[in-house]
Amino acid sequence: MSYKHTIVVKIGTSNLTQPETRKLVLSTINSLVKTLTKLRQLGHNVVLVSSGAVGVGCSRLKVKETPKKISLKQAIAAVGQGRLMHVYDELFTSIDQPIAQILLTRRELMERSCYINARNTFNALFKLGVIPIVNENDTVAIEELKFGDNDTLSASVASLINADWLFILTDVDYLYSADPRLFPDAQPISNVDSVQLAKLQVQANSTGSQWGTGGMLTKLTAAKLATKAGITTVITNGKYPENLIKILDGEDIGTKFGAYLENDNARKRWISYGLLPTGKLYLNEESIIAISQKGKSLLVADVIRVEGNFKSFEAVRLCNEGGEEVARGIVNYSKHEIDKINKNRLDNISQLPTCDGYETIVHKNNLVISKKNIRL
């Protein structure tokens, strides 16, 4: 393990808290702290994405179940986040490892300048020898801009900092062909390459634990996001954080998802994973071939239908006629402006103030193909 990696570790509520009392499992947290510090001492850049704030807040306030009302849940998360960070700070300080707290919402990653600033902050902390601890900023996040679960957040952070590894720690040893608690004959899956992941069909539970928000489906989604960004991803049991070092040394523990060898540059990763699409553009077969196989920009005449109420320079999904996403991109025109353009009279574009008369709706530099093998 001589090569120095950038590593993101996500640990779930089911590992951090006891299911009945929601109290923190200090033995697991202490083992995690020691492992992450050891990785840092070996020269790796380490980020921890930690769940547990809502569960800990419920325990502190003696709330019997996670509230559904968003404002109450955010208030409880604020209480729990303070307690959680206090525990982390005490344990990391006891072994002389500095940490930092970073709270994010999608808003910080959607604006390009904020995205770059966030990445620069992580890099500065790495140079200082600090382990950043990340959580979603539940206190201020609005529903439309929430990550929704820390599995997705961890994949977004891993893409942001161009990580080499993403470890998703959960309450099972492997990804199984079905939920082993419900299907005793479920089979463990050790290795999944990028082609297998795209086709993978498992009976995955869509809900998490009583106090968590992510089930196995969110972990698979996170693995797909991360591997497409060139990040090797592992799902493994969070009861044994020390296994992270063994996995980096080559041992097969948990389910390993191989990274795509051809990953996008930083700007295209931002478009893919930082932005939240606000509309859809439907394309014909010829247009899809032009953008996916010939590397062309998307022109006004290529769009056969438009959905959503997006503004210029926002992200949209590019779909085939059946509605399947084939790419994402940043549009030069708003929905209102596109509606004004007559496909047979491109001279109308010159009357629009936004883009100086360009007939390009999405420039190729602002376009990311979502699927390599597209069904037309």
Side-chain angles (χ1 to χ4, degrees):
M1 197 168 56
S2 58
Y3 177 72
K4 307 309 178 186
H5 299 283
T6 296
I7 300 165
V8 176
V9 178
K10 181 266 175 179
I11 189 164
T13 300
S14 61
N15 290 131
L16 291 172
T17 61
Q18 300 170 356
E20 292 81 16
T21 65
R22 293 97 67 199
K23 293 185 181 298
L24 291 170
V25 183
L26 293 178
S27 58
T28 298
I29 298 175
N30 189 49
S31 178
L32 176 67
V33 165
K34 290 181 178 178
T35 299
L36 298 186
T37 301
K38 176 66 173 178
L39 288 171
R40 181 63 238 180
Q41 291 170 346
L42 290 170
H44 304 296
N45 298 324
V46 180
V47 175
L48 173 63
V49 177
S50 178
S51 300
V54 174
V56 173
C58 286
S59 175
R60 182 70 180 84
L61 298 172
K62 296 179 171 53
V63 175
K64 294 185 178 180
E65 61 182 21
T66 303
K68 293 181 172 59
K69 187 176 180 181
I70 185 66
S71 59
L72 183 56
K73 186 176 180 180
Q74 288 174 323
I76 290 174
V79 173
Q81 188 65 26
R83 169 64 179 157
L84 189 61
M85 284 303 300
H86 174 74
V87 171
Y88 278 129
D89 188 55
E90 288 289 319
L91 292 174
F92 274 109
T93 299
S94 69
I95 50 178
D96 201 29
Q97 172 58 54
I99 62 172
Q101 182 182 34
I102 296 181
L103 299 177
L104 293 172
T105 66
R106 278 193 184 272
R107 190 186 302 276
E108 282 79 52
L109 301 187
M110 288 176 65
E111 186 175 330
R112 182 63 178 164
S113 60
C114 292
Y115 185 91
I116 293 172
N117 285 341
R119 187 175 62 202
N120 290 341
T121 297
F122 277 103
N123 288 334
L125 289 170
F126 294 152
K127 290 179 181 178
L128 293 170
V130 174
I131 294 178
I133 300 179
V134 180
N135 202 345
E136 183 160 14
N137 195 348
D138 290 308
T139 306
V140 301
I142 60 176
E143 194 64 29
E144 307 90 271
L145 295 180
K146 285 179 67 66
F147 289 99
D149 62 85
N150 277 348
D151 297 319
T152 302
L153 173 61
S154 67
S156 297
V157 170
S159 175
L160 169 70
I161 62 176
N162 198 20
D164 301 291
W165 289 82
L166 169 62
F167 292 97
I168 300 178
L169 307 186
T170 184
D171 54 1
V172 294
D173 297 316
Y174 296 89
L175 168 69
Y176 285 83
S177 57
D179 188 336
R181 294 167 293 189
L182 303 177
F183 302 91
D185 58 345
Q187 297 298 310
I189 303 172
S190 297
N191 290 280
V192 181
D193 63 29
S194 56
V195 175
Q196 292 170 327
L197 180 57
K199 299 177 180 178
L200 186 62
Q201 297 291 331
V202 294
Q203 298 176 10
N205 185 5
S206 61
T207 59
S209 65
Q210 180 184 3
W211 304 103
T213 57
M216 189 55 73
L217 282 180
T218 66
K219 291 165 179 57
L220 283 177
T221 300
K224 290 178 180 179
L225 291 175
T227 53
K228 284 182 179 179
I231 302 162
T232 302
T233 303
V234 178
I235 294 176
T236 191
N237 199 320
K239 287 184 179 180
Y240 315 105
E242 61 275 10
N243 283 344
L244 300 184
I245 296 176
K246 297 178 182 179
I247 294 170
L248 288 171
D249 281 334
E251 292 191 32
D252 288 330
I253 303 172
T255 301
K256 181 179 178 181
F257 300 85
Y260 281 72
L261 297 179
E262 297 179 4
N263 58 82
D264 297 318
N265 61 33
R267 180 175 178 81
K268 294 201 172 186
R269 285 201 308 274
W270 168 65
I271 294 171
S272 293
Y273 313 119
L275 299 181
L276 197 63
T278 54
K280 289 183 178 181
L281 304 181
Y282 290 82
L283 315 181
N284 58 34
E285 182 175 329
E286 291 182 0
S287 303
I288 293 173
I289 292 173
I291 66 171
S292 64
Q293 299 179 19
K294 299 180 180 179
K296 302 290 187 180
S297 297
L298 183 69
L299 304 180
V300 172
D302 296 332
V303 179
I304 58 177
R305 186 155 59 94
V306 181
E307 284 184 6
N309 188 26
F310 50 87
K311 300 176 183 178
S312 57
F313 307 119
E314 289 189 339
V316 297
R317 304 179 195 272
L318 309 182
C319 303
N320 61 19
E321 295 184 60
E324 182 181 19
E325 179 181 323
V326 298
R328 292 189 182 190
I330 299 174
V331 288
N332 289 332
Y333 299 113
S334 68
K335 167 65 161 59
H336 177 69
E337 289 170 330
I338 293 174
D339 287 341
K340 281 187 174 182
I341 298 173
N342 185 324
K343 292 180 182 178
N344 297 319
R345 297 191 59 188
L346 296 181
D347 56 305
N348 288 348
I349 299 177
S350 63
Q351 301 173 19
L352 299 175
T354 310
C355 295
D356 299 324
Y358 296 161
E359 62 179 82
T360 301
I361 286 188
V362 180
H363 191 274
K364 62 184 179 181
N365 292 342
N366 290 329
L367 191 153
V368 182
I369 303 302
S370 303
K371 302 187 68 173
K372 301 299 182 184
N373 298 314
I374 297 171
R375 285 203 308 267
L376 301 175

